[in-house]
Amino acid sequence: MDALNYIDGRHVAAAEWLDNFEPATGTAYGRVASSDAGDVDRAVAAAARAFPAWSATPSTQRSRMLRAVARLIEREKDRLARAEAVDTGKPVTLAGSLDIPRAAQNFEFFADAITQWQSEAHATDDVALNYTLRQPLGAVACISPWNLPLYLLTWKVAPALAAGNCVVAKPSEVTPMTAHLLGELCNEAGLPAGVLNIVQGLGPRAGSALVGHPDVRAVSFTGSTRVGREIAAQTAQRFVRASLEMGGKNPNVLFADADLDEAVAQTARAAFQNQGQICLCGSRILVERSVYDDVKERLVAKARSLRIGDPLDPATEQGALVSRQHFDKVMGCIEVARQEGGRVLCGGRAARVEGRCRGGWFVEPTLIEGLGPGCTTNQEEIFGPVATLQPFDTADEAVRLANATRYGLSASLWSRDLSRAHRVAAHLHAGIVWVNCWMLRDLRTPFGGVKESGVGREGGAEALRFFTEAKNVCVKL
């Protein structure tokens, strides 16, 4: 099946094509449109044409449209989950239980949020009344990554549409299929032509043309720090607002007084879910020295017990890495860890999967110890099923180790001492800190990183603010 562009309410092919690979088999199973600046021009023009009518549509009516899309995503859950598993290599069970339900929730949440969003009014004594209007921007760009394709695409598209903008979305060329299918569902839901447009293709070609387009009023991006830096420079030249959610090298801090059964189980999940290909994965595991050996032994056992296999098998817990290029990168990072003196406790090799997946890009869940905070392995984002273990003696040392990177996306800490947990959380350089949990999200809360992990916030009212302009109206009494 080919993944097409979706422009002005229709699926259309681009002039050129890229192969679309199934990571579990290592073979191409379809094509994806390779868009150029002309395709982007047509998509942005369609969004600009649709904007006056869509922005004037009452919020209650926009809400109903978003809710209709949510219902269709729920109806097509199995189809979308399979498409996601084939495209990304992730287990179909994970896609069906997390990615696709969350995509529907994103539309559902912002369908509610836009009807409940409050304005502000300020009486200037008895002289004037000031009130604030939040108005949509126009055509906006939403650029989403390959690791959670539909989940993160809808996380951006839903608030932009709810606020009255028209969207040109650019999914990853590595995982284009659920974006293609979303276009089908939006048509069925009755979304007006041009309100949502999707351009497929390469970042340097389609993505760069979209970010630099003179009629794009805002850019919401999730991806690597390197690309985020390029987008920041490009948008700054035109004074276009940008929200950038980028890389992470996230710490997971275990104190000796934690519920170790729960902490170890969730730490393993945080390290290896989606083959470690989540920006929020806890890839640096910091353990209080008195329980270090115990935790290490338990984590190794957990990692070795994970079932690696065909992503379409419901029993599979670990699927394939998303591409050959990424597989090679992760294997190279493991070799660097060995060269730096790291001891591989488990994994460290390509995984062998028989049957139809014998040519796929699988890596064993890998744990490494013996490396200091300044080494490449503990500084650079690997974005695979690879985590390191480091011991610490005091809370202050744990904080220093946790903060010892240029990233600051998320952190987790585990302790029964909630007073200490609050103190430590306040000192961690991270946009979100989980205490005695991981990946527990409330869609009302702001989300984003600090340092080189991001600029701006998504989620809840923060997303609606990003996609609108504040206008103050002052009326003299």
Side-chain angles (χ1 to χ4, degrees):
M1 182 177 179
D2 293 339
L4 305 177
N5 290 336
Y6 178 71
I7 299 174
D8 209 13
R10 296 184 300 113
H11 277 113
V12 292
E16 299 179 32
W17 296 94
L18 303 167
D19 285 332
N20 190 18
F21 287 87
E22 181 180 5
T25 64
T27 58
Y29 78 96
R31 302 181 302 172
V32 53
S34 181
S35 302
D36 60 14
D39 299 301
V40 170
D41 281 340
R42 286 185 283 276
V44 175
R49 286 193 302 270
F51 176 67
W54 181 248
S55 60
T57 301
S59 61
T60 52
Q61 189 172 334
R62 295 200 301 269
S63 174
R64 284 195 293 272
M65 290 275 189
L66 297 189
R67 208 178 302 283
V69 175
R71 295 289 80 78
L72 291 173
I73 291 173
E74 290 173 344
R75 187 194 74 190
E76 297 297 318
K77 183 185 78 169
D78 292 343
R79 180 188 180 203
L80 291 167
R82 190 181 194 282
E84 208 79 296
V86 170
D87 236 9
T88 66
K90 71 176 59 189
V92 69
T93 302
L94 178 64
S97 62
L98 176 67
D99 295 60
I100 308 309
R102 175 58 186 272
Q105 289 166 16
N106 288 337
F107 276 102
E108 191 83 43
F109 175 84
F110 286 104
D112 287 338
I114 197 60
T115 64
Q116 306 299 317
W117 204 23
Q118 295 178 333
S119 182
E120 296 178 1
H122 304 278
T124 309
D125 299 323
D126 58 354
V127 176
L129 177 66
N130 290 268
Y131 61 91
T132 302
L133 299 177
R134 303 292 315 196
Q135 297 180 314
L137 304 173
V140 299
C142 296
I143 303 175
S144 54
W146 50 256
N147 60 324
L148 304 168
L150 191 62
Y151 180 148
L152 292 180
L153 178 65
T154 57
W155 175 236
K156 298 175 181 299
V157 166
L161 297 182
N165 300 281
C166 292
V167 172
V168 180
K170 209 301 262 182
S172 170
E173 71 278 6
V174 180
T175 55
M177 191 51 67
T178 49
H180 171 92
L181 297 176
L182 179 63
E184 290 184 8
L185 300 184
C186 286
N187 266 352
E188 185 176 347
L191 197 70
V195 170
L196 173 63
N197 305 273
I198 299 169
V199 288
Q200 307 275 10
L202 299 168
R205 182 169 146 128
S208 181
L210 179 58
V211 171
H213 198 286
D215 294 330
V216 167
R217 297 288 310 281
V219 177
S220 176
F221 167 79
T222 297
S224 71
T225 297
R226 178 187 61 80
V227 175
R229 185 178 289 111
E230 295 171 1
I231 290 174
Q234 201 171 357
T235 53
Q237 293 177 9
R238 297 191 294 113
F239 301 103
V240 169
R241 65 177 63 183
S243 174
L244 309 172
E245 194 262 280
M246 301 182 289
K249 192 69 178 174
N250 310 305
N252 197 336
V253 183
L254 283 73
F255 287 97
D257 69 335
D259 177 346
L260 291 185
D261 290 339
E262 179 69 8
V264 168
Q266 293 302 314
T267 295
R269 175 172 165 254
F272 302 124
Q273 187 167 14
N274 202 41
Q275 299 73 250
Q277 300 171 134
I278 301 177
C279 57
L280 301 167
C281 277
S283 58
R284 293 184 297 131
I285 303 169
L286 312 178
V287 185
E288 193 164 0
R289 195 177 302 275
S290 61
V291 293
Y292 180 84
D293 289 338
D294 181 22
V295 168
K296 176 174 70 173
E297 183 179 342
R298 295 190 196 201
L299 284 173
V300 168
K302 286 278 186 186
R304 286 175 171 161
S305 72
L306 292 171
R307 178 169 175 172
I308 305 170
D310 187 339
L312 299 182
D313 181 347
T316 292
E317 297 171 299
Q318 291 281 289
L321 299 192
V322 74
S323 68
R324 177 74 204 205
Q325 180 184 16
H326 192 57
F327 170 87
D328 290 342
K329 176 206 167 184
V330 171
M331 294 304 296
C333 289
I334 294 172
E335 181 56 32
V336 167
R338 289 191 174 101
Q339 293 171 4
E340 291 181 314
R343 293 184 295 277
V344 176
L345 302 172
C346 61
R349 301 182 298 267
R352 302 176 68 91
V353 178
E354 299 304 322
R356 80 178 193 98
C357 297
R358 67 174 59 90
W361 304 312
F362 296 83
V363 174
E364 295 177 346
T366 301
L367 290 169
I368 301 167
E369 71 170 354
L371 295 173
C375 69
T376 299
T377 304
N378 278 323
Q379 288 294 319
E380 299 298 326
E381 185 177 37
I382 297 173
F383 217 63
V386 182
T388 62
L389 284 83
Q390 301 174 70
F392 67 85
D393 292 299
T394 66
D396 287 344
E397 184 185 7
V399 169
R400 286 196 301 272
L401 290 172
N403 291 341
T405 76
R406 67 183 190 275
Y407 295 108
L409 187 55
S410 73
S412 298
L413 67 92
W414 299 85
S415 174
R416 287 190 173 97
D417 184 343
L418 291 185
S419 294
R420 176 172 60 186
H422 284 295
R423 292 194 302 271
V424 170
H427 289 92
L428 293 176
H429 298 165
I432 181 169
V433 178
W434 283 292
V435 177
N436 295 329
C437 59
W438 178 72
M439 275 284 276
L440 183 59
R441 291 284 292 124
D442 186 319
L443 297 184
R444 295 169 295 183
T445 59
F447 174 79
V450 300
K451 300 194 289 190
E452 292 192 20
S453 285
V455 175
R457 292 293 180 268
E458 296 181 297
E462 296 289 338
L464 296 175
R465 290 190 187 98
F466 174 76
F467 286 115
T468 56
E469 198 80 74
K471 176 188 289 184
N472 180 66
V473 179
C474 179
V475 181
K476 184 178 180 182
L477 299 178

